[in-house]
Amino acid sequence: MSLLQQQRRRAREIALQLLYALDIRNDQTPDEAMALFPFEGESEEVMNYAIWLVKEIWGKRVEIDNLIRMHITGWRPERMVIVDLEAIRLALFEGVYSKVVPIPVAISEAIELAKRFGTENSGRFVNGVLGKIVRSIAEVEGDGKDVEGNASA
């Protein structure tokens, strides 16, 4: 794994934790949550990417949650395990909204975060939700390709 990949993975871990804190303490702003986070020992690159992710995702969370609602039946974001929801938000932001990483990478990273910080079923759940959303988006866009860029059958 390259240094950039390691830094981004660490930034995602921090972002997930900060987004979780914001979700459970809805009276807190992203700046307040970040001021309380122990960033000591983190590189500037890690801190900057984590801060960017948190601010952008928190600002787009209603839009991202609406995307989840549009494509997933029976699972409202407010009923999901918070860690799973934050991992899904992270992947959708990085892979779909900002397109800073390829969608398969965003999904893979979200699954790893969910496995590490969530429940024993979180990895499978996050994979299933993201797979369904991304397939639905690809069908709507009608590009004839799946998330990995392969021609669909």
Side-chain angles (χ1 to χ4, degrees), residues 8-35:
R8 290 239 170 134
R9 177 165 284 172
R10 179 64 185 137
R12 287 182 193 101
E13 291 173 355
I14 292 168
L16 181 89
Q17 293 172 50
L18 286 164
L19 290 165
Y20 179 92
L22 286 166
D23 227 341
I24 62 171
R25 296 207 44 205
N26 55 9
D27 61 329
Q28 203 172 50
T29 68
D31 288 332
E32 290 169 337
M34 287 183 276

Side-chain angles (χ1 to χ4, degrees), residues 4-61:
L4 177 61
Q5 290 170 322
Q6 291 172 359
Q7 290 171 332
R8 290 239 170 134
R9 177 165 284 172
R10 179 64 185 137
R12 287 182 193 101
E13 291 173 355
I14 292 168
L16 181 89
Q17 293 172 50
L18 286 164
L19 290 165
Y20 179 92
L22 286 166
D23 227 341
I24 62 171
R25 296 207 44 205
N26 55 9
D27 61 329
Q28 203 172 50
T29 68
D31 288 332
E32 290 169 337
M34 287 183 276
L36 295 172
F37 194 86
F39 279 110
E40 297 84 26
E42 299 296 346
S43 73
E44 189 173 335
E45 292 82 6
V46 168
M47 288 185 344
N48 289 341
Y49 195 67
I51 289 167
W52 178 74
L53 285 172
V54 170
K55 287 184 176 186
E56 292 295 316
I57 293 167
W58 196 248
K60 290 179 177 31
R61 73 187 180 285

Side-chain angles (χ1 to χ4, degrees), residues 74-135:
W75 284 100
R76 294 188 329 261
E78 52 277 355
R79 299 225 26 225
M80 291 180 183
V81 172
I82 296 173
V83 169
D84 297 356
L85 174 60
E86 300 310 345
I88 291 166
R89 284 175 173 164
L90 260 164
L92 291 174
F93 174 75
E94 280 190 301
V96 175
Y97 285 91
S98 71
K99 298 180 185 193
V100 294
V101 297
I103 290 172
V105 172
I107 291 172
S108 177
E109 289 292 315
I111 292 166
E112 290 306 311
L113 284 169
K115 286 179 180 177
R116 180 160 182 214
F117 294 101
T119 68
E120 88 178 46
N121 296 318
S122 289
R124 283 191 307 268
F125 177 76
V126 167
N127 185 40
V129 169
L130 288 171
K132 183 169 174 56
I133 292 171
V134 169
R135 279 189 301 277

